[in-house]
Amino acid sequence: MPGAVIVGTQWGDEGKGRFTDYLAKDASLCVRYQGGHNAGHTIIVDGEVFKLQLVPSGVLYPHVTPVIGNGVVVDPAVLISELDMLSAKGVETSRLRLSGNAHLIMPYHQEIDRVTERYLGKNKLGTTKRGIGPTYADKALRVGLRVQDLLDPKIFREKLDLVLREKNGLLSKVYNRLPMDANEIAETYLNMVPRLEPHIDDTVHLVHESLEAGEWVLFEGAQATYLDLDHGTYPFVTSSNPIAGGVCTGAGVGPLAIQRVVGVVKAYTTRVGSGPFPSELLEGDPIGDDLVERGREFGTNTGRRRRPGWLDLVMLKHATRLNTCTELAITKLDVLSPLKELKVCVGYLGDDGTRYEHVPYHQSVMHKIKPIYETLPGWGTDIERAEKISDLPVEAKNYVQFIEDFTKVHVSFVSVGPSRDQLVVLPRGE
Ligand code: GDP
Ligand code: IMO
Ligand code: MG
């Protein structure tokens, strides 16, 4: 039963989308298992740029069935506009399957996301304000509306009336906002049903049919390991489980259905939003500014500047454990090309002098640790046209080897530019 997972090993935006796109060549299904339109995945094919938020990156191949699994939270208006965008670019989208069990992001979720962030002031999480947290919270509270509720207008309306009473109390009495109108929400959502209905399906069944037929099923992670609700830098995380284990609940398979786990790692680190970041290059640091500039590190989704930093191998090693990575895919190696020296974080120092070889579990420690760096030589030459490992300068090969030696996980891919073909594949043993 061959299932493969693409998972981010840092704080997101590692370049997962391009690897889903690459591996989808051999897959029959491509399944999103968590998150929502807080994700922004960029794929460049023959110079054409595709920015996807909800639809799995495998949609670009006609042989792949893209699937939005039960673990995803869906804003139906965003989904429809993404399908329209893809159709306008000539991509066939009728194959898209949408789980009836996926939860709906409602207008009050987005409003609550916005007002709670404002309320938190300087303690804000820096969310994407897409309503992700409030939607997952309602799922856990068992008052969420699901995609399947759209197919029964009476039930949809009953559930909406019930939940809106509480939400309107919260919005008007706690946050001093105007209450929302159930008629308006119901009309907007139910008007979208004719567009959505042809896509709604039993996606768990589809995934198992495909696995049993011996076909490759690709599970596309959004966000990343350190944004994971349980294993990330809580509370500066998202509200779902992006780690590979999230596939089991978010797509409905057991762990033994997963054979391959590709951990995607940017050759340096970036983070959007608030939270600890030990190897951060603080604003004003010329190397950090250069990484942002050369790597175009501005959010696909919100346009925010991503915080840059050196590669943190301690976090990466922990991520390979949390996800049981069978291999790593390194992205954006080309962005490091002009640098004379490269630092990689290989340990941490606590403020009491304790040396940490692992990611400290306690957030008070995590917030104060200082990185211990090892310095490696840069290569100082363009690598954007490299097609095979032997095309890379020795310093670049050593950088990749250092990552492999530290994590003890095979590096299968190195990308050297954003296009589909700017990719070096490394068979095991090379
Ligand atoms: P995702 O959220 O993990 O799918 O990643 P994003 O799409 O948000 O961010 C990755 C960005 O890096 C996109 O703009 C990609 O086009 C770009 N990118 C991916 N791989 C490479 C690479 O090897 N080199 C360069 N220069 N850019 C890359
Ligand atoms: P992809 O899939 C980077 C971050 C937000 C914020 C935190 C919580 O493109 O890698 P949320 O809106 O999820 O409640 O915000 O998570 N975040 C991401 N950062 N890439 C993403 O997705 C992200 N999705 C959420 O910036 O810090
Ligand atoms: Mg992204």
Side-chain angles (χ1 to χ4, degrees):
M1 296 224 294
V5 187
I6 309 279
V7 64
T9 59
Q10 296 159 317
W11 279 290
D13 304 323
E14 295 89 352
K16 297 175 292 294
R18 71 166 307 158
F19 278 101
T20 312
D21 171 67
Y22 180 81
L23 292 173
K25 279 190 304 191
D26 303 318
S28 64
L29 298 189
C30 179
V31 187
R32 274 279 305 267
Y33 57 92
Q34 47 68 234
H37 67 301
N38 48 348
H41 300 169
T42 318
I43 300 143
I44 304 178
V45 184
D46 299 331
E48 186 159 20
V49 181
F50 295 88
K51 288 181 190 291
L52 300 169
Q53 292 181 262
L54 259 176
V55 176
S57 304
V59 70
L60 302 184
Y61 291 104
H63 69 272
V64 172
T65 302
V67 177
I68 296 179
N70 56 278
V72 177
V73 288
V74 178
D75 180 328
V78 171
L79 179 58
I80 290 171
S81 69
E82 198 163 305
L83 292 176
D84 288 344
M85 176 276 288
L86 285 164
S87 300
K89 286 177 181 263
V91 178
E92 170 61 48
T93 58
S94 60
R95 303 175 321 279
L96 178 85
R97 304 289 87 198
L98 169 62
S99 169
N101 286 0
H103 278 247
L104 292 170
I105 299 181
M106 305 297 290
Y108 46 85
H109 292 133
Q110 311 222 7
E111 182 67 357
I112 291 168
D113 199 353
R114 280 192 290 268
V115 292
T116 46
E117 278 287 273
R118 213 175 302 148
Y119 189 78
L120 284 169
K122 70 174 177 40
N123 297 318
K124 70 174 182 188
L125 303 176
T127 74
T128 58
K129 300 191 179 130
R130 301 297 198 257
I132 305 295
T135 308
Y136 278 113
D138 276 0
K139 175 177 176 176
L141 281 170
R142 295 152 295 177
V143 294
L145 275 84
R146 295 187 293 174
V147 167
Q148 59 179 281
D149 295 326
L150 290 167
L151 302 176
D152 190 330
K154 193 164 159 279
I155 291 204
F156 182 87
R157 189 56 206 249
E158 276 170 21
K159 289 189 178 179
L160 178 63
D161 284 341
L162 196 67
V163 74
L164 201 57
R165 218 179 308 150
E166 190 259 334
K167 300 299 174 200
N168 276 340
L170 179 72
L171 285 171
S172 60
K173 297 205 175 76
V174 178
Y175 294 113
N176 208 16
R177 309 294 300 170
L178 288 175
M180 293 192 164
D181 181 34
N183 287 333
E184 226 172 86
I185 298 176
E187 197 189 329
T188 310
Y189 275 61
L190 294 172
N191 276 345
M192 291 189 271
V193 171
R195 282 295 305 276
L196 298 170
E197 196 168 3
H199 300 285
I200 301 173
D201 213 330
D202 178 351
T203 56
V204 172
H205 183 70
L206 279 178
V207 165
H208 285 278
E209 292 263 290
S210 203
L211 287 170
E212 277 162 32
E215 298 165 355
W216 276 99
V217 177
L218 195 56
F219 299 100
E220 177 180 25
Q223 292 81 51
T225 303
Y226 290 100
L227 289 173
D228 185 277
L229 182 58
D230 286 80
H231 298 284
T233 47
Y234 190 90
F236 301 102
V237 293
T238 191
S239 299
S240 66
N241 290 113
I243 57 161
V247 170
C248 296
T249 50
V253 299
L256 295 185
I258 299 166
Q259 252 183 27
R260 201 173 168 189
V261 181
V262 183
V264 184
V265 49
K266 202 179 281 192
Y268 47 99
T269 312
T270 58
R271 166 163 212 173
V272 210
S274 321
F277 181 175
S279 63
E280 181 170 13
L281 290 158
L282 293 172
E283 210 153 353
D285 185 306
I287 297 181
D289 288 346
D290 189 52
L291 291 177
V292 170
E293 184 77 14
R294 285 179 48 77
R296 303 207 181 129
E297 297 295 356
F298 296 91
T300 311
N301 202 324
T302 56
R304 290 178 291 174
R305 180 188 191 269
R306 296 172 182 154
R307 297 155 60 192
W310 296 114
L311 180 61
D312 187 332
L313 288 177
V314 185
M315 295 191 87
L316 178 60
K317 190 175 170 72
H318 186 55
T320 64
R321 288 175 162 178
L322 286 168
N323 294 296
T324 317
C325 289
T326 56
E327 61 209 274
L328 290 175
I330 299 175
T331 59
K332 295 193 144 183
L333 195 66
D334 54 298
V335 176
L336 298 178
S337 291
L339 298 176
K340 289 203 171 53
E341 285 184 336
L342 306 168
K343 289 187 183 172
V344 285
C345 174
V346 293
Y348 306 119
L349 209 55
D351 61 351
D352 61 352
T354 310
R355 188 182 161 119
Y356 295 88
E357 311 289 342
H358 305 287
V359 180
Y361 81 91
H362 202 294
Q363 67 166 8
S364 306
V365 179
M366 186 67 188
H367 278 269
K368 286 189 199 134
I369 48 169
K370 296 275 177 287
I372 298 170
Y373 288 119
E374 198 147 317
T375 303
L376 304 175
W379 43 95
T381 168
D382 276 356
I383 56 172
E384 280 141 26
R385 271 176 290 279
E387 289 176 2
K388 46 193 188 311
I389 186 74
S390 55
D391 296 336
L392 290 177
V394 65
E395 295 86 354
K397 277 191 271 196
N398 287 345
Y399 189 74
V400 171
Q401 190 63 49
F402 197 90
I403 297 170
E404 193 166 293
D405 291 345
F406 194 95
T407 58
K408 299 193 174 59
V409 179
H410 174 65
V411 174
S412 298
F413 306 97
V414 176
S415 75
V416 293
S419 293
R420 205 183 235 178
D421 54 354
Q422 286 179 296
L423 188 67
V424 174
V425 182
L426 291 90
R428 278 183 201 271
E430 268 191 38

